[in-house]
Amino acid sequence: MSRLIGIDLGTTNSCVAVMDGGSSVVIPSETGARTTPSVVAFMKDGTRLVGEAARRQAVLNPARTVYSIKREMGSNTRIKIDGKSYSPPEISAMILSKLKTDAENYLGEPVTDAVITVPAYFTDSQRQATRDAGTIAGLNVVRIVNEPTAAALAYGVDKEQSQKVMVYDLGGGTFDVSVLDIQGGVIEVLATAGNNRLGGDDFDKAVADYLAEEFKRTYRLDPRKDQTAFSRLREAAEQAKIELSSVSETHVSIPFLMQKRGTPCHLDLTLTREKFDELTRPLIEATLGPVRQAMDDAKVTPAALSKVLLVGGSTRIPAVQEAVKAVTGKEPFKGINPDECVAIGASLQAGVLAGAVHGLLLLDVTPLTLGIETMGGVFSPIISRNTTIPVKKTAVYTTAANFQTSVEIKVFQGERQMTRGNKLLGNFRLNGITRAPRGVPQIEVTFEIDASGIVHVTARDQATGRAQDITITASGNLSQAEIDRAVADARAYAGEDRLRRRQAAARDAAEAVLYKAEAADRKSMSREEKKRLDEAEKRLRKALRGKDAGEMEQAAEEMKAVLQR
Ligand code: AMP
């Protein structure tokens, strides 16, 4: 296997790391930077820039520069440039490709596999979009890991005894806080809260606004009204902010910021940390609500937290560290570079997967997809393969026949689209469903896998609240060979399964139309109409006796047309 890399695909900056000689190493970009701005720019001549180069030209090319694409992952947003439309995974793939190339240049060998991190709150579709981005970039995404979990791995807290840990992550454009429970080698995200529109950029803006006001007071000119001047101001503000993390005052000097009647106007002033803290206090305070919320949701008091870990470049700000300390009562854990710890954790996990790292926690995942059987033997996945456990997911189903008062829930595991190719783990019956036409009852099916891989399935009729459940302990006993076979089978039989699925879907739709035909009020019809209906019904019944999906679809369409008339 080629070497696996760990990628922190961030909103503002991304970082890539790899296990080298037993320890995790951050891979520098071609310019030597340890993080890469998550920025993509499309130049007029058709070339594409990614990273620092894209960020540098952003001021002059704002309409063709894409920032913070991570916020759009999993959505239907499209980025339109030069008549071409790009999905968020395609843009993210451009960033991943650059990181892949940097890693290949550093390692001197091709890289094909990666572990990528995502925020703990990312939904299934956002995670899937991240996986797709990897695939587009030519990377096999072997595992998606939660960012706070990766940070905890980097800090090595998984090796210690059972504990609860808070991860406070303040980056360039997003803030999130998670409370993790670490027990018996399993890391579980108990709660997560945050604000995905709050980050270092807002601190820059607060400082830039102050600088602009000062400049305006002197020259009666507002640099915010001039795009170039304001972007120079923003850059100087970020620089000053970074300096104030280690010194108590800094000098801000921007020569020739603007001109007044041909005379150049320079910005020149001293900014103290005290002033910076005063300007940014509301921003820091805005992070404390989510901190309390995450503790409440996780049902932990500050005293029950063993550690607080800091992630994200903005946690270098001393006032941020003090505020976190004040609210949690804990001295935040430092020591690992906050911009790099998520990528480092991802590379550690990659090292474990590649067999290069021993004695470290391997985050448990479901080896195969779990789901239930629906009409016609179609497998309906609920928890997809490689989802980190523990996990809980719910899907809503309905009945297939009229006035059906019970349903059989058959739990399957596997990658085939039809259940007959998958493994039956167990089944149970939910009785006492309210009598109603097909499609009306709402049956909630919840799958829960605990930290030990035990699957618990519950079915509940929303109308009556009646529930039935089953516990399955067999999910962990598949060998790697069985898992590999299931995945290979799924690929080999994909075409055949698709055909069966189409048959099942066509049958289901045809039966629904037949039901409507049966229920139609024949008394109000003319002889001609009745005749047409009878003929269509005959054809539909004949198609339903056969197996031809096309015939069923066509007969159903014809019947629909007759019914509409
Ligand atoms: P991240 O998204 O984690 O890479 O964080 C990027 C943010 O961290 C940007 O807003 C940077 O300006 C900010 N940042 C980086 N270094 C420092 C520092 N020493 N002090 C304050 N903010 C910093």
Side-chain angles (χ1 to χ4, degrees), residues 394-546:
T394 299
V396 177
Y397 296 88
T398 184
T399 49
N402 283 319
F403 313 115
Q404 183 178 341
T405 54
S406 76
V407 283
E408 171 93 13
I409 306 283
K410 287 190 184 165
V411 180
F412 281 89
Q413 182 180 41
E415 303 309 307
R416 297 278 299 273
Q417 300 174 16
M418 303 301 293
T419 51
R420 51 186 253 178
N422 293 333
K423 183 173 168 187
L424 177 68
L425 294 182
N427 56 330
F428 63 96
R429 188 163 274 284
L430 174 66
N431 293 315
I433 299 172
T434 327
R435 276 174 62 81
R438 63 180 266 162
V440 173
Q442 298 279 293
I443 297 156
E444 239 174 54
V445 178
T446 302
F447 271 57
E448 194 169 2
I449 313 182
D450 70 11
S452 322
I454 295 170
V455 184
H456 192 80
V457 184
T458 313
R460 189 176 151 270
D461 176 16
Q462 285 184 347
T464 60
R466 241 175 231 273
Q468 198 48 255
D469 60 0
I470 187 175
T471 298
I472 298 160
T473 43
S475 82
N477 65 6
L478 282 161
S479 67
Q480 190 57 44
E482 280 177 293
I483 295 167
D484 292 345
R485 192 166 343 111
V487 174
D489 271 5
R491 253 184 235 132
Y493 292 105
E496 205 177 291
D497 280 353
R498 212 171 299 125
L499 182 71
R500 289 220 185 83
R501 269 179 78 106
R502 185 175 158 209
Q503 272 173 355
R507 183 173 298 280
D508 196 22
E511 278 173 357
V513 181
L514 185 62
Y515 167 63
K516 275 199 197 132
E518 284 167 351
D521 177 14
R522 287 171 190 253
K523 285 197 200 93
S524 65
M525 294 180 196
S526 68
R527 257 209 5 235
E528 184 58 26
E529 281 169 339
K530 236 188 288 181
K531 189 167 156 238
R532 249 190 259 130
L533 184 67
D534 288 341
E535 275 166 10
E537 190 176 331
K538 224 157 100 192
R539 273 198 297 277
L540 191 55
R541 285 192 191 279
K542 178 168 169 278
L544 275 167
R545 280 194 297 274

Side-chain angles (χ1 to χ4, degrees), residues 8 10-14 35-36 55 169-174 199-204 238-246 276 311-318 338-340:
D8 168 11
T11 308
T12 334
N13 292 300
S14 295
T35 59
T36 295
R55 192 172 96 133
D169 182 351
L170 187 60
T174 57
D201 296 348
D202 300 296
F203 288 69
D204 302 345
E238 182 178 12
Q239 193 55 39
K241 169 188 81 173
I242 291 174
E243 282 165 19
L244 287 173
S245 288
S246 45
F276 172 77
V311 178
S314 304
T315 60
R316 288 206 179 88
I317 297 170
D339 311 315
E340 299 172 359

Side-chain angles (χ1 to χ4, degrees), residues 44-357:
K44 295 224 170 67
D45 64 3
T47 50
R48 217 183 270 156
L49 300 177
V50 180
E52 195 48 55
R55 192 172 96 133
R56 241 182 287 121
Q57 59 76 64
V59 183
L60 304 170
N61 191 20
R64 305 164 74 91
T65 306
V66 188
Y67 280 103
S68 304
I69 194 66
K70 186 171 176 177
R71 293 200 171 121
E72 308 300 338
M73 289 294 265
S75 76
N76 292 327
T77 304
R78 292 290 176 271
I79 309 292
K80 295 205 176 71
I81 286 168
D82 292 336
K84 260 194 92 172
S85 152
Y86 300 89
S87 65
E90 283 174 283
I91 302 283
S92 292
M94 294 169 195
I95 301 164
L96 290 174
S97 282
K98 159 129 184 26
L99 300 174
K100 178 178 185 278
T101 309
D102 285 342
E104 287 173 339
N105 291 342
Y106 176 84
L107 294 168
E109 61 187 47
V111 169
T112 52
D113 300 289
V115 168
I116 303 183
T117 59
V118 297
Y121 57 79
F122 252 29
T123 62
D124 231 29
S125 65
Q126 290 169 304
R127 285 166 199 261
Q128 189 53 47
T130 306
R131 217 174 255 284
D132 293 345
T135 309
I136 300 167
L139 283 170
N140 171 32
V141 182
V142 286
R143 189 73 52 93
I144 297 269
V145 175
N146 287 327
E147 286 160 12
T149 307
L153 290 175
Y155 274 97
V157 294
D158 59 299
K159 284 173 284 185
E160 298 165 22
Q161 75 281 37
S162 298
Q163 56 183 321
K164 298 216 171 22
V165 169
M166 175 181 286
V167 178
Y168 177 103
D169 182 351
L170 187 60
T174 57
F175 165 64
D176 55 78
V177 52
S178 310
V179 177
L180 311 180
D181 180 40
I182 302 176
Q183 246 184 69
V186 175
I187 303 181
E188 182 184 0
V189 179
L190 292 180
T192 173
N195 179 346
N196 68 1
R197 302 267 162 201
L198 175 66
D201 296 348
D202 300 296
F203 288 69
D204 302 345
K205 183 168 181 307
V207 174
D209 276 336
Y210 167 73
L211 298 179
E213 284 299 328
E214 290 298 299
F215 185 83
K216 198 170 139 195
R217 240 173 10 137
T218 317
Y219 297 104
R220 299 192 183 287
L221 277 177
D222 192 343
R224 283 167 294 198
K225 297 207 169 109
D226 174 337
Q227 204 184 31
T228 312
F230 191 53
S231 85
R232 288 183 70 199
L233 208 60
R234 285 286 285 258
E235 250 171 54
E238 182 178 12
Q239 193 55 39
K241 169 188 81 173
I242 291 174
E243 282 165 19
L244 287 173
S245 288
S246 45
V247 297
S248 58
E249 62 174 55
T250 183
H251 195 75
V252 186
S253 161
I254 316 177
F256 304 98
L257 182 59
M258 294 182 90
Q259 280 197 13
K260 192 171 186 176
R261 283 179 235 107
T263 318
C265 308
H266 316 295
L267 180 113
D268 229 336
L269 59 83
T270 296
L271 185 65
T272 64
R273 189 188 285 172
E274 208 180 340
K275 185 73 200 174
F276 172 77
D277 288 348
E278 180 194 316
L279 295 169
T280 58
R281 188 165 300 131
L283 299 171
I284 296 180
E285 272 165 12
T287 70
L288 302 181
V291 167
R292 292 191 193 97
Q293 167 97 46
M295 284 197 285
D296 276 356
D297 290 350
K299 301 192 176 58
V300 296
T301 56
L305 283 175
S306 335
K307 285 188 185 71
V308 178
L309 313 182
L310 297 180
V311 178
S314 304
T315 60
R316 288 206 179 88
I317 297 170
V320 168
Q321 298 176 3
E322 280 153 28
V324 175
K325 184 176 166 191
V327 72
T328 61
K330 298 265 158 357
E331 185 70 54
F333 232 50
K334 288 175 231 160
I336 296 194
N337 195 327
D339 311 315
E340 299 172 359
C341 66
V342 171
I344 289 173
S347 76
L348 287 170
Q349 189 61 204
V352 177
L353 287 165
V357 178

